[in-house]
Amino acid sequence: MTDKVSTSTASLNKFEKFKAEKDGLAVKAEIEKFASLGWEAMDETDRDHRLKWMGVFFRPVTPGKFMMRLRMPNGIITTDQMRVLAEVIQRYGDDGSADITTRQNIQLRGIRIEDLPDIFEKFHAVGLTSIQSGMDNVRNITGDPVAGLDAEELFDTRELVQQIQDMVTNKGEGNPEFTNLPRKFNIAITGGRDNSVHAEINDLAFVPAFWEEKGSGDKGEGEQQTAQSPTSGSQSRQFGFNILVGGFFSAKRCEAAIPLNAWVPPEDVVAVCRAVLEVFRDNGSRANRLKSRLMWLIDEWGIEKFRNEVESKLGKPLLGAAAKDEIDWEKRDHIGVYKQKQPGLNYVGLHVPVGRLYAEDLFEMARLAEVYGSGEIRLTVEENFIIPDVSDSRLETLLTEPLLEKFSVNPAPLTRALVSCTGAQFCNFALIETKNRALAMIKELEKELEVTHPVRIHWTGCPNSCGQPQVADIGLMGTKARKNGKAVEGVDIYMGGKVGKDAHLGSCVAKGIPCEDLLPVLRELIIEHFDARLREAVTV
Ligand code: SRM
Ligand code: SF4
């Protein structure tokens, strides 16, 4: 740990102070004690903050009913694990639910503190972990949801994502080396051609790129000066990743990631993650929490110095970036039935309205993945799920299963691309209700409009942007608006977010639209910008 962390406590923000007093991970040893004390008698800093190092979130909106955020490396979960999650929330009746998150992950709701020892034991038995999933830690590491299934993929990301998680969390046991970062940290790897992980909005991202030997490829001049040969001249074209750094959203500032001007072969990815995390941990600002994400450090130093510091932690020079990356497809949403690279097998993507699930859904998803697939489920950053390995002969029967009436393989175009953050139902930062409102409004719009292709509408309850409105065709960010002199729930509207090839962020086009006036505004935007028209029977 740096001098910055240990000595200059006067300049530390309140979060840094409580972390310096007691590391968040220390609560791991106190779970039994908390369970017998109960949430009301616990030390408040342990309860409201440090428990997040175990993935357990106190919810001021539902005191006593905690949220639990898992880790699902590459968005993969087995049916045994899924059943454990189902059992955990089942015991909470109406309070129990789960959400698929925008980081290919699952959060559980309704959790009681007295049940934590039993829950952690169950997790351990099936290889699940929720460790280091909140506060100043590395979040769930995302990878291609169809890794290993997609015939066109360039690289199967599954193993690498797992290795990074193992490094960061010490195989799920907790790793004090990385439990006191200056702020949260997001990592993504994509090995497909469509950037299905939103690489550009992560603090550290790896995108597929071929390194070309000097003279045999089309590397730019600047890059040639720094490039070393990855294979001592034995090969002229090698697969690896260009590195992006510093992407993030926050209430204060949103930035797309920028090139580190570096390329790595797959075998160096874990070491580069470690090096970047060490540089961030030891040098990131701990004074102002609003200016603590990695990009602020890159701004302060400039990308060259940052790159040099990463090299020095890595203990060897980085190669220059490959001249181009291989992201050349539009982004897929994976909903529907698709052939796998394994002959005779298919993956089936099911749409989960705004990612919300209940115990019976989880049990049923597990059953289907076992009966028709290979006992595995994949999650997507659009809050949906995929059942892989369905044989041609079983496909038709799967498509007649009752669960597919709720989780469709062919949803209507606006519903299909709807994403929403948690919002006011459970999140105390929320300025508006999101999930239920998003669903109600999309239902109305589907009734009124004939739409030929999906329009990606993302809702987020506040400027923290967990619902990623800046990547959407139409992004809706909760705010307080005024109507007839009264404060009402409203949204700022974002447009122009582009995903997949040439991804870039959208920007704010309208501010403070009251939610009660939003429906006609959305209708007009969709007609004007996305080739929709009013259904004949509808008059507005
Ligand atoms: Fe988030 C905080 C939910 C993805 C930016 N986010 C929160 C908290 C923990 C706040 C709280 O304590 O209530 C929310 C928990 C609400 C709840 O009860 O569910 C919360 N964030 C979520 C999830 C569940 C939204 C969803 O419905 O899917 C996502 C969980 C991902 C996961 O599995 O780990 C989620 N959050 C994101 C993303 C999107 C992404 O990672 O691609 C972002 C923007 C990208 C980024 O971080 O750069 C995001 N969340 C934030 C921020 C702003 C960070 C900042 O630097 O200021 C906060 C506030 C904070 O950390 O102080 C925040
Ligand atoms: Fe909560 Fe705001 Fe994140 Fe939505 S965007 S989950 S309201 S912090």
Side-chain angles (χ1 to χ4, degrees):
M1 200 47 39
T2 58
D3 287 349
K4 245 186 186 173
V5 182
S6 53
T7 56
S8 55
T9 47
S11 63
L12 298 180
N13 63 58
K14 74 165 186 172
F15 291 84
E16 291 301 328
K17 285 188 180 139
F18 80 65
K19 289 193 292 177
E21 275 164 36
K22 173 179 168 186
D23 189 83
L25 196 60
V27 298
K28 186 179 178 211
E30 297 176 277
I31 296 298
E32 293 275 356
K33 185 180 86 186
F34 297 153
S36 46
L37 267 178
W39 68 273
E40 282 160 304
M42 276 180 69
D43 171 82
E44 276 188 23
T45 311
D46 285 343
R47 184 191 68 192
D48 299 357
H49 300 297
R50 292 196 189 95
L51 266 182
K52 292 178 185 169
W53 270 257
M54 294 302 290
V56 179
F57 290 60
F58 178 70
R59 302 289 73 199
V61 182
T62 58
K65 298 166 198 165
F66 288 74
M67 181 268 276
M68 215 168 174
R69 180 184 285 166
L70 278 292
R71 298 193 77 96
M72 301 275 151
N74 213 115
I76 298 177
I77 177 166
T78 67
T79 48
D80 286 347
Q81 292 172 335
M82 191 63 106
R83 273 197 205 93
V84 165
L85 300 185
E87 281 163 21
V88 167
I89 57 170
Q90 189 180 38
R91 75 174 91 162
Y92 301 120
D94 289 347
D95 291 337
S97 63
D99 288 314
I100 304 176
T101 77
T102 52
R103 290 202 70 81
Q104 244 183 353
N105 195 7
I106 290 186
Q107 291 187 168
L108 306 179
R109 308 222 175 252
I111 308 295
R112 309 294 164 114
I113 203 95
E114 55 272 26
D115 296 332
L116 285 182
D118 177 47
I119 293 173
F120 284 125
E121 208 173 292
K122 286 194 160 118
F123 282 4
H124 199 253
V126 291
L128 273 175
T129 183
S130 59
I131 207 147
Q132 291 168 232
S133 60
M135 280 296 289
D136 299 346
N137 286 291
V138 177
R139 294 288 185 276
N140 193 46
I141 300 158
T142 54
D144 289 293
V146 289
L149 313 175
D150 177 8
E152 309 282 343
E153 82 183 345
L154 296 158
F155 186 83
D156 179 347
T157 51
R158 288 175 294 177
E159 210 178 305
L160 260 188
V161 171
Q162 184 67 54
Q163 286 170 3
I164 301 168
Q165 170 162 312
D166 287 348
M167 180 270 289
V168 169
T169 67
N170 181 26
K171 300 202 164 140
E173 291 302 311
N175 182 358
E177 279 182 289
F178 297 120
T179 49
N180 188 0
L181 299 175
R183 205 61 166 91
K184 72 187 287 196
F185 196 91
N186 291 329
I187 303 179
I189 311 184
T190 175
R193 293 187 175 275
D194 72 336
N195 185 13
S196 55
V197 294
H198 298 311
E200 70 284 1
I201 63 170
N202 283 263
D203 297 275
L204 173 60
F206 297 87
V207 295
F210 286 97
W211 196 92
E212 310 260 356
E213 190 73 68
K214 217 162 132 182
S216 71
D218 52 354
K219 286 173 65 58
E221 261 177 43
E223 284 134 11
Q224 281 178 11
Q225 284 161 14
T226 50
Q228 324 277 314
S229 167
T231 53
S232 312
S234 60
Q235 230 179 316
S236 63
R237 195 163 189 262
Q238 193 187 331
F239 178 78
F241 300 94
N242 277 348
I243 304 175
L244 303 176
V245 285
F248 79 114
F249 297 159
S250 74
K252 190 175 172 65
R253 179 180 173 197
C254 296
E255 294 289 347
I258 58 170
L260 182 64
N261 303 324
W263 175 95
V264 273
E267 59 271 22
D268 285 351
V269 165
V270 180
V272 167
C273 287
R274 170 176 273 283
V276 171
L277 284 171
E278 285 176 355
V279 169
F280 179 51
R281 178 194 65 195
D282 296 349
N283 301 282
S285 165
R286 290 172 189 264
N288 179 353
R289 239 173 129 66
L290 296 176
K291 295 187 171 180
S292 294
R293 295 290 293 270
L294 182 68
M295 188 59 111
W296 294 95
L297 177 64
I298 297 170
D299 283 349
E300 188 190 324
W301 280 356
I303 195 73
E304 266 314 302
K305 174 168 178 191
F306 179 74
R307 190 180 186 283
N308 292 341
E309 295 291 325
V310 172
E311 283 181 331
S312 129
K313 287 282 185 200
L314 189 63
K316 62 176 179 181
L318 284 161
L319 299 161
K324 71 180 226 7
D325 65 40
E326 300 298 319
I327 304 294
D328 44 19
W329 286 5
E330 292 308 317
K331 190 171 183 313
R332 297 166 293 177
D333 64 11
H334 306 294
I335 295 170
V337 178
Y338 301 91
K339 290 271 167 225
Q340 285 182 204
K341 69 174 163 195
Q342 297 83 1
L345 293 182
N346 308 274
Y347 67 85
V348 180
L350 292 90
H351 175 259
V352 180
V354 292
R356 177 61 48 84
L357 300 164
Y358 296 93
E360 62 272 21
D361 300 325
L362 299 180
F363 280 123
E364 198 52 10
M365 286 158 73
R367 186 184 72 78
L368 296 191
E370 220 150 66
V371 171
Y372 297 96
S374 54
E376 184 182 280
I377 289 166
R378 310 277 182 100
L379 309 170
T380 71
V381 296
E382 288 86 13
E383 305 175 331
N384 300 313
F385 76 98
I386 295 168
I387 301 179
D389 302 325
V390 180
S391 67
D392 290 342
S393 61
R394 319 215 69 187
L395 190 56
E396 225 165 281
T397 328
L398 168 61
L399 298 179
T400 63
E401 284 281 355
L403 191 71
L404 276 72
E405 282 160 32
K406 184 171 183 189
F407 300 148
S408 172
V409 292
N410 188 22
L414 297 177
T415 306
R416 177 176 186 127
L418 184 66
V419 169
S420 173
C421 83
T422 305
Q425 189 184 3
F426 298 111
C427 178
N428 56 303
F429 285 120
L431 298 170
I432 62 167
E433 209 293 308
T434 52
K435 287 201 189 248
N436 290 321
R437 175 176 272 142
L439 281 175
M441 220 170 267
I442 223 72
K443 218 167 151 190
E444 280 306 307
L445 289 166
E446 297 278 18
K447 265 196 241 155
E448 293 176 358
L449 294 174
E450 260 176 49
V451 187
T452 50
H453 54 86
V455 179
R456 296 174 309 102
I457 301 178
H458 285 221
W459 285 76
T460 207
C462 79
N464 283 329
S465 298
C466 305
Q468 310 156 327
Q470 303 84 349
V471 308
D473 292 323
I474 302 178
L476 303 167
M477 181 189 286
T479 187
K480 285 286 165 233
R482 291 199 81 73
K483 187 169 181 186
N484 304 329
K486 279 204 334 224
V488 292
E489 295 199 347
V491 292
D492 293 341
I493 301 182
Y494 283 70
M495 286 188 74
K498 166 85 179 68
V499 292
K501 179 180 160 63
D502 302 325
H504 57 80
L505 304 183
S507 51
C508 185
V509 295
K511 281 186 157 296
I513 313 291
C515 290
E516 57 199 75
D517 298 339
L518 184 59
L519 185 68
V521 176
L522 285 180
R523 186 199 303 131
E524 285 314 306
L525 284 178
I526 296 170
I527 292 174
E528 193 181 330
H529 298 276
F530 301 97
D531 304 329
R533 58 191 182 105
L534 278 183
R535 288 187 194 279
E536 268 164 27
V538 175
T539 45
V540 290

